[in-house]
Amino acid sequence: RLPFRRVRPDSLIADSREKCKIFPTTGDWLRDNLSGKSRAERLQMNYHLGNIEMRDLSAYVRHFADRTISDNLLFVPYPYSEDDARWWIRHVSEDPLRHRTNRAIRNSDGALIGAIGVAGDFKEGSHKVEIGYWLATEYRGQGLMGAVIREFCDGLFSEFSVVRIFATPFSRNTPSHRVLEKAGFVLEARLRRS
């Protein structure tokens, strides 16, 4: 696995006492800026981050039937069952902090097309956090995940006292490496036998 990191910009460190609301239920701020954008930029903006809900159960099972998703996520079993999806949705929904730090990526129709969130046990006041994410096959390669990662990380920096955000994609997952670099992350090391 390869650790990538993104560090809080200095301008945000100075403003860290001013808490901002993050993780909007829509990406309105992106959609407000459509004029003059390329087709790729418009595709990136046609999403919003929302809550992970029980109505997403069948979408999780359908998307996780794609073996490439479970092969690139450390704790997602294959095959992925309705019971697995039900456990995950409850796990996220029942804890207020986990609910705020794990978001569904939804298309313009509100359908679940991916997710992004904090990996592991995150406690308020932690200075560093690991993120994980996935995206449905038909939405890959359009620049969407880079925009999602930037929005999500900016939210973590502004609402929490996080200074360092990192991700550790598998070394074979080069598309994820490129997405992280485009989102402002820097390759830190190559972990052997991890």
Side-chain angles (χ1 to χ4, degrees), residues 69-163:
I69 293 175
S70 63
D71 284 350
N72 287 301
L73 295 174
L74 200 54
F75 298 111
V76 174
Y78 186 86
Y80 196 80
S81 70
E82 283 189 11
D83 287 339
D84 295 322
R86 191 173 292 108
W87 177 87
W88 171 247
I89 294 166
R90 285 187 181 140
H91 179 72
V92 169
S93 302
E94 291 172 358
D95 181 288
L97 183 58
R98 208 174 290 125
H99 186 67
R100 287 170 45 211
T101 58
N102 286 276
R103 309 304 289 164
I105 305 167
R106 299 192 181 283
N107 66 14
S108 58
D109 297 328
L112 178 75
I113 60 168
I116 186 166
V118 170
D121 290 328
F122 173 65
K123 296 181 179 23
E124 289 213 54
S126 296
H127 73 282
K128 65 181 179 177
V129 64
E130 182 175 10
I131 62 166
Y133 48 87
W134 65 271
L135 190 63
T137 307
E138 60 271 24
Y139 291 91
R140 295 179 198 155
Q142 301 174 25
L144 175 61
M145 189 50 82
V148 167
I149 292 171
R150 280 189 301 276
E151 180 179 350
F152 185 76
C153 290
D154 288 347
L156 286 174
F157 283 137
S158 63
E159 183 168 333
F160 300 101
S161 56
V162 172
V163 175

